[in-house]
Amino acid sequence: MTSIVIPAHNEERVIGRLLDSLLADSRGGGTDETDVDGPDIVVVCNGCTDDTARVATERGPRVRVVEIPVPSKHTALRTGDDHARGFPRVYVDADVVLTDADVRALTAPLHDETSGVLATAPARRIPLAACAWRVRAYYQVWQRLPAVREGLFGRGVIAVSRSGYERLAALPPLMADDLAASMAFAPEERLVVEAAGVVIQPPRTWRDLIRRRVRAAVSTAQVEQQRAGRQDAPRTSKADLKALLRREPRLLVAVVVFVAAAVAARRKAEKAIQEQDFGTWLRDESSRQS
């Protein structure tokens, strides 16, 4: 049985749409939680002060809700592992949208351990229509970068086999848990499954985009410190941007916006990195608007 673990901290506005999507086309036709044809879904409400648990519980017995007092994603993930029933295991952020069909496509390569694939992630679907023009320009560039296309990070979903799980479970608590997870696997051990897609709500405002990029810069620094030089995190180089412009000269303005965002975020992140502040989570609320 495939198990889905969803850590959720104050996600009452978005957890329902994810669960409705996962349950809508599930092959399990029954309502009993022992129905083995559908995925095993565990929602771990960590340190919630809103109605996240109630909203999740209302989705019926197919969804098991666990509440813990500590607002910690890492603790929530490990708690979810304690309650999950099977493998492959899929870890899903509460603010994305994924279907049961996407889950099946993601886990298909993981059933055969001899394939060498230990971890998979879906293709990104990022709706940008409601975003400010500079945010749209930023993502025009970001989505085309080699490291972004090939890595498992920044997707809000990662699926692992039993062997892949053992590798993830050994990782320390890190802000950039998805980046650390992606780097835990060699290129031949990880796979982006284009047949599966996840809808990721982007920040709608420039301010919230910068908040996300500051968080990314700080958390990337933490990952690199923890790895002690064993492998640098994937970064965008000037060569990447030049190659992109050679292929698509029309993106010149978008590249300028991308660089401006990167510079602004790096400057804002410097203080947190110097102070070793890897606990302040700069949450983007604009992407959680209905």
Side-chain angles (χ1 to χ4, degrees):
M1 175 187 289
T2 294
S3 283
I4 301 172
V5 174
I6 305 171
H9 172 67
N10 289 344
E11 299 286 12
E12 65 177 355
R13 287 188 288 174
V14 295
I15 188 70
R17 72 187 180 194
L18 169 60
L19 294 173
D20 289 343
S21 180
L22 286 170
L23 295 169
D25 65 346
S26 175
R27 290 178 298 176
T31 58
D32 189 280
E33 67 177 24
T34 60
D35 176 8
V36 296
D37 289 330
D40 167 41
I41 303 175
V42 182
V43 176
V44 183
C45 301
N46 58 103
C48 291
T49 57
D50 66 356
D51 285 336
T52 300
R54 177 187 61 78
V55 173
T57 300
E58 287 176 347
R59 267 53 192 182
R62 291 286 305 284
V63 178
R64 292 186 290 133
V65 178
V66 179
E67 296 186 70
I68 60 175
V70 182
S72 164
K73 184 177 181 181
H74 184 268
T75 303
L77 290 170
R78 299 292 77 84
T79 300
D81 285 328
D82 291 340
H83 289 80
R85 293 172 173 155
F87 290 95
R89 191 155 298 169
V90 187
Y91 301 99
V92 184
D93 288 351
D95 60 340
V96 305
V97 178
L98 191 74
T99 69
D100 183 63
D102 294 320
V103 171
R104 294 198 300 270
L106 270 182
T107 56
L110 300 172
H111 288 290
D112 179 12
E113 293 268 359
T114 63
S115 69
V117 175
L118 303 181
T120 62
R124 301 179 187 88
R125 310 282 187 259
I126 306 179
L128 296 168
C131 299
W133 77 267
R134 287 187 295 176
V135 176
R136 297 197 302 272
Y138 178 90
Y139 278 99
Q140 278 186 304
V141 175
W142 186 79
Q143 293 186 86
R144 288 169 164 82
L145 299 173
V148 173
R149 293 199 312 269
E150 297 164 8
L152 304 185
F153 59 87
R155 301 173 191 272
V157 180
I158 184 170
V160 293
S161 65
R162 186 181 295 273
S163 297
Y165 156 75
E166 292 172 356
R167 198 171 298 181
L168 288 191
L171 294 175
L174 294 167
M175 186 186 295
D177 57 293
D178 59 342
L179 175 60
S182 181
M183 294 175 66
F185 301 99
E188 64 273 13
E189 295 176 325
R190 61 180 188 250
L191 176 68
V192 175
V193 180
E194 295 295 335
V198 59
V199 179
I200 304 170
Q201 294 297 328
R204 296 187 180 183
T205 68
W206 178 255
R207 179 181 178 182
D208 277 309
L209 172 65
I210 297 302
R211 286 171 67 87
R212 277 203 192 186
R213 300 322 304 164
V214 170
R215 188 178 74 208
V218 173
S219 57
T220 297
Q222 183 192 27
V223 169
E224 291 183 335
Q225 287 182 19
Q226 188 275 329
R227 294 181 65 86
R230 282 179 290 160
Q231 178 188 352
D232 289 336
R235 294 182 181 274
T236 300
S237 66
K238 292 180 181 178
D240 292 328
L241 296 177
K242 289 178 180 178
L244 176 59
L245 284 175
R246 283 196 296 270
R247 294 193 305 271
E248 300 183 71
R250 65 182 181 82
L251 292 178
L252 176 60
V253 173
V255 168
V256 172
V257 171
F258 179 88
V259 172
V263 171
R266 188 176 301 115
R267 287 176 178 171
K268 290 178 178 293
E270 285 177 355
K271 182 179 179 181
I273 294 172
Q274 289 173 356
E275 296 177 353
Q276 298 291 286
D277 178 8
F278 300 126
T280 302
W281 185 266
L282 297 177
R283 179 153 154 158
D284 161 29
E285 295 293 346
S286 70
S287 62
R288 288 170 168 81
Q289 297 175 14
S290 58

